[in-house]
Amino acid sequence: MFVLGFAGCIGALRENSFLLKFFSVFLGIIFFLELTAGVLAFVFKDWIKDQLKFFINNNIRAYRDDIDLQNLIDFTQDYWECCGAFGPEDWNLNIYFNCTDTNLSREKCGVPFSCCTKDPAEDVINTQCGYDIRGKGDIEHKTFIHTKGCVPQFEKWLQENLTVVAGIFIGIALLQIFGICLAQNLLSDIEAVRESCLFT
């Protein structure tokens, strides 16, 4: 992006045809790649859903291994009020939270605190609210933790905010088309001035 911006800026300031052509062509390539990605995402939405599930489950496995990843998962689960990729049972993939007999962790059969429903009366977050919760009944699941997965919650969020997301993508596309048009306009003006100088 830096190279593209630099080429456009210097090409416009110095009236350099090569840099303006580079800027215009590269911006056009990016536009068509984005357009292709959007069409492919729409056509292969089931494949994308599977990849998202695979990505989330891999991150669940590594939840305690990387603090940044842990914070990202906690933020996602808290923001979308979800737990796991498709539900709390996805946390069986993590060595600390699984329900196997070989697991000696205190967090066995639990979920991270970001899966817990928030109590408005509590000012301090209870980081142990998810301990042993999956070992209890379904009624306690629904009372104390979010039972919906993050993939369905993301799909729901996307459908509810489709006009905003589409508007952002259309706005970016229009800016790119506008940039291409301005570069081509400046380029044609530069070439017109050069041709007029040759004939005088």
Side-chain angles (χ1 to χ4, degrees):
M1 292 312 291
F2 172 77
V3 171
L4 183 63
F6 181 78
C9 184
I10 298 301
L13 287 174
R14 304 292 296 165
E15 296 183 349
N16 185 317
S17 301
F18 174 76
L19 288 177
L20 284 171
K21 285 178 184 175
F22 173 80
F23 174 79
S24 184
V25 168
F26 203 80
L27 201 58
I29 290 170
I30 290 173
F31 173 74
F32 283 111
L33 286 175
E34 289 171 350
L35 189 65
T36 304
V39 169
L40 289 175
F42 182 75
V43 172
F44 296 107
K45 56 187 167 194
D46 291 334
W47 179 82
I48 289 174
K49 186 193 282 187
D50 291 340
Q51 292 302 310
L52 186 60
K53 178 186 176 187
F54 178 75
F55 174 75
I56 292 173
N57 285 340
N58 276 345
N59 290 334
I60 285 173
R61 283 185 190 93
Y63 179 75
R64 290 282 186 226
D65 300 337
D66 182 359
I67 191 68
D68 293 328
L69 179 65
Q70 183 176 326
N71 289 335
L72 176 67
I73 291 172
D74 285 338
F75 171 78
T76 303
Q77 292 185 146
D78 186 47
Y79 182 77
W80 279 322
E81 297 180 347
C82 59
C83 191
F86 282 95
E89 295 306 315
D90 290 334
W91 283 98
N92 271 331
L93 297 170
N94 187 281
I95 59 172
Y96 299 102
F97 293 103
N98 68 41
C99 292
T100 59
D101 293 333
T102 57
N103 184 3
L104 301 176
S105 169
R106 176 63 192 95
E107 296 173 312
K108 177 180 178 178
C109 281
V111 292
F113 71 93
S114 55
C115 285
C116 298
T117 55
K118 300 288 181 273
D119 184 356
E122 289 183 4
D123 291 333
V124 179
I125 296 171
N126 179 4
T127 57
Q128 297 179 352
C129 60
Y131 283 19
D132 302 319
I133 195 71
R134 288 186 300 117
K136 298 175 181 171
D138 286 343
I139 295 169
E140 288 191 52
H141 278 203
K142 292 176 183 172
T143 307
F144 295 110
I145 63 171
H146 303 294
T147 55
K148 294 177 182 170
C150 291
V151 173
Q153 288 295 89
F154 174 70
E155 287 176 334
K156 179 183 169 190
W157 178 87
L158 202 57
Q159 287 173 353
E160 289 173 354
N161 297 289
L162 192 59
T163 53
V164 174
V165 172
I168 290 170
F169 281 115
I170 289 170
I172 291 170
L174 288 175
L175 283 173
Q176 289 173 326
I177 292 169
F178 185 65
I180 292 168
C181 290
L182 284 179
Q184 289 299 319
N185 189 25
L186 183 58
L187 194 57
S188 64
D189 288 348
I190 291 169
E191 288 174 357
V193 168
R194 284 185 184 156
E195 284 179 12
S196 67
C197 288
L198 289 173
F199 291 117
T200 56

